[in-house]
Amino acid sequence: MGDVGEPLPVVQEIKQLAGNARCVDCGANCSTDPWVSVTHGTVICIQCAGVHRSFGVHISFVRSLMLDTLKEREVVGMKYGGNEKLLVFIEAAEEGMARNAWQELPLASRYHTPVADRYRQHLRALVDATCPPKPQPPALTAPLPTPPPPPQLRETGTEPAAGSAASTSCGRAARSFDPAEPPLPLPQAASACSRFLRPGNSLTWSD
C-alpha cells in the first residue's frame, strides 16, 4: 500500500488503532511487517497470516498492509475494526466468551465459531452503510427462440383430393353416394363432362 520506507498516512492510522501494534492472534510484535485480515479489520503477523489464508477468503481475506494496495471498502473496514474492538465484541456478544478463552482456542477453530461469524456480519454492515457495494450488472441472457407456429389441422374429408370420386362432378357439389341408386349410363356421364375437357385430355372408363 505504500513504499517500504515511509508508510502512507492511512497505514499509520490503521497501525495506531488500539491493539494493532501486536498480532491479534498470537501477540507477536508486527509493527514492522503488519498483515491484516480485512474481513475482521484486524492486524496479524506473517505467520498467522499464512493460517488465515488456509481458511479461505470467505472466512478471512488477508493482505499485506505495507506491500498491497487496499481498496476503499477494505480501508473503511480496517478503520471501523481494530484488534481491541474485535476482542471487546467477543466478550460482549451474546454468543461470546472471555478474551482468554477465545485466545486459547486453536487458531483453526477460532474463526469458525458463531461469535466470529457474528462479528464478520457486524463489520460488513458498518462498511456497507458507509460504502455501499456496487450493484452487479444484470446477467446477459440470449433471447429464447420463437417457437414455430402450430400446424394447421384440416378436418378429414372436407376437401376431396383431386381425381377422387367426389371431384369428378366437374366443379359441381358432390352427390352423396346411394347404393340403391343405379349408376348413370356411360354415354350420359361422358356427355355431362365433355364440356369441361380440354383439348388433348381424355377420359378413361373402366368397368
Side-chain angles (χ1 to χ4, degrees):
M1 186 165 184
D3 297 333
V4 177
E6 184 67 23
L8 294 176
V10 67
V11 175
Q12 291 284 44
E13 184 179 353
I14 293 172
K15 291 173 63 176
Q16 290 173 1
L17 292 177
N20 283 7
R22 294 185 174 273
C23 174
V24 71
D25 291 325
C26 68
N29 188 335
C30 53
S31 58
T32 58
D33 186 18
W35 288 69
V36 296
S37 169
V38 295
T39 314
H40 302 93
T42 53
V43 177
I44 53 181
C45 66
I46 189 171
Q47 286 78 15
C48 292
V51 181
H52 276 251
R53 288 185 185 274
S54 68
F55 300 157
V57 295
H58 64 292
I59 297 295
S60 184
F61 185 57
V62 177
R63 307 290 283 168
S64 169
L65 195 57
M66 302 298 294
L67 303 177
D68 295 324
T69 300
L70 301 186
K71 299 179 181 179
E72 179 185 3
R73 286 176 54 86
E74 295 171 346
V75 172
V76 172
M78 292 303 303
K79 291 182 178 181
Y80 273 122
N83 292 5
E84 183 65 21
K85 287 185 179 179
L86 169 66
L87 297 176
V88 169
F89 186 94
I90 294 298
E91 292 181 311
E94 182 179 352
E95 313 92 328
M97 60 186 70
R99 182 178 305 202
N100 291 340
W102 159 264
Q103 292 176 331
E104 288 175 359
L105 289 174
L107 188 54
S109 304
R110 196 177 302 175
Y111 291 93
H112 292 83
T113 56
V115 67
D117 185 62
R118 179 77 174 274
Y119 183 73
R120 286 190 289 268
Q121 296 177 22
H122 165 74
L123 188 60
R124 189 183 306 119
L126 292 176
V127 175
D128 288 345
T130 303
C131 186
K134 296 180 180 179
Q136 296 295 325
L140 298 178
T141 56
L144 296 177
T146 304
Q152 298 294 328
L153 299 179
R154 189 169 58 189
E155 188 176 348
T156 305
T158 57
E159 297 182 10
S164 65
S167 66
T168 58
S169 59
C170 303
R172 291 176 291 180
R175 299 188 305 171
S176 59
F177 176 73
D178 186 356
E181 182 180 355
L184 290 175
L186 184 59
Q188 183 180 349
S191 62
C193 291
S194 61
R195 60 194 180 92
F196 294 97
L197 295 176
R198 298 180 179 178
N201 292 341
S202 63
L203 288 176
T204 302
W205 301 92
S206 61
D207 294 336

